Amino acid sequence: MNEPASIKVSQLTKVFGKRTCVDRLDLEVFPGELYALLGDNGAGKTTTINMLTTLLKPTSGKFQIAGFDGVREPEKAKSKFAVVSQEVALYQELTAFENLMFIAELYGLPKVDARARIEQQLNQWDLLARKDDYISDFSGGMQRKLSIAGALLRSPRVLFLDEPTVGLDPGSRHHIWEILTSLKHDGVTIFLTTHYLEEAELLADRVGIIVKGKLIAEGSIDDLRAKLNHMKSICVRMSRRFNPEEQQKSLDRLSEFAFGDVSYDELRNTFSIALNSNGHLSDTLRALTDWIELEQIPINGISTSEPSLEEIYMSLLHVQTPAVNNEKPAPAFEEQTR
Ligand SMILES: Nc1ncnc2c1ncn2[C@@H]1O[C@H](COP(=O)(O)OP(=O)(O)OP(=O)(O)O)[C@@H](O)[C@H]1O
Ligand SMILES: [Mg+2]
């Protein structure tokens, strides 16, 4: 990427008491990129966002937002980002309009611009008719939508969202996906956390997986898939039942060119190849079609499957969890940036 990173994080660490909750995190997110940080409950996602949005002081390490040092120049960094936090932070005793006006004033938007922008946001989130209602009368999902509306009142260069779609109905969820995609196309840098892996799969250019404060894997979903080759499989459905001799002959032949476990399912008349780490899907498919053509194997169809992000996540977590522990906390107060 040619443009400099708009979020640049180096060795960012947060220690609470004896527990290292974010452990020497390194990452970069570029303009127009959406990065999804995934991790189980308590993995350190909110703590990371709280540090990057200057709410929480890092124990050590540093970060920049749009070129500004987040620890040394927090005010300048703050002028470049907006945040939708995990816990909805609105004043219950103010109306929807008043809450947004309060946020607009914090952002220093001129009053006339603010009014127009607020109406536009309320309209976009289907809340215009409720603008004079108190937040205490809003449902949880409506409050969340209003928080997102608040973050979008000005046009941030960097947008942080901590589980933005929790509790939203499917229509609103799709709406936020569309908005995030269009912001991305406008060059906004988006950093979000989510437990909805289909959301990350749909939106993220890159994902990072954090386990007990450590980033254990990072990349595009295809990069992560490539690491888990063994989860790719090919199924060949036969158009007629194979007798035991044909089955054995085919299994022997398939095992010659397919790197992985080959099996025959009698019930479904199907040969399956579960590729191992040396097996390449495209090479195996080529060899398979050659075999089918040369030996005139009677088939009904071939299907391939790749792991979903959910399978990748579960597999990486399963592989990595035993290796990650917090027994040796990161050196606290080393390289203190302030
Ligand atoms: N103020 C605090 N004091 C002590 N420990 C804290 C504090 N804030 C967070 N933690 C600890 O930091 C760890 C990470 O918490 P964090 O809220 O960042 O997790 P998360 O990944 O956002 O989880 P979730 O998916 O549940 O939102 C947890 O062990 C939590 O108990
Ligand atoms: Mg959280």
Side-chain angles (χ1 to χ4, degrees), residues 163-199:
E163 299 191 32
T165 56
V166 168
L168 291 192
D169 58 60
S172 305
R173 188 174 286 187
H174 274 92
H175 186 54
I176 181 158
W177 292 347
E178 279 165 19
I179 288 182
L180 294 181
T181 305
S182 108
L183 288 171
K184 220 172 74 161
H185 290 151
D186 291 343
V188 176
T189 306
I190 304 173
F191 185 95
L192 68 77
T193 75
T194 181
H195 287 291
Y196 301 117
L197 298 182
E198 79 282 7
E199 178 167 290

Side-chain angles (χ1 to χ4, degrees), residues 40-47 86-87 162-163 193 195:
D40 284 353
N41 293 132
K45 303 179 298 296
T46 298
T47 306
Q86 185 168 7
E87 300 301 329
D162 198 354
E163 299 191 32
T193 75
H195 287 291

Side-chain angles (χ1 to χ4, degrees), residues 229-238 250-265 270-289 291-292 302-306:
N229 214 12
H230 63 284
M231 290 175 75
K232 289 181 181 168
S233 64
I234 305 174
C235 284
V236 187
R237 266 190 339 277
M238 300 299 150
S250 303
L251 284 172
D252 290 346
R253 187 71 190 87
L254 285 168
S255 304
E256 280 174 26
F257 61 78
F259 288 95
D261 289 333
V262 185
S263 57
Y264 182 68
D265 180 340
T270 300
F271 286 98
S272 299
I273 304 164
L275 293 182
N276 66 22
S277 54
N278 297 321
H280 289 282
L281 191 65
S282 51
D283 291 351
T284 309
L285 268 177
R286 218 168 289 129
L288 188 67
T289 44
W291 169 66
I292 289 166
I302 299 178
S303 60
T304 61
S305 68
E306 290 194 303

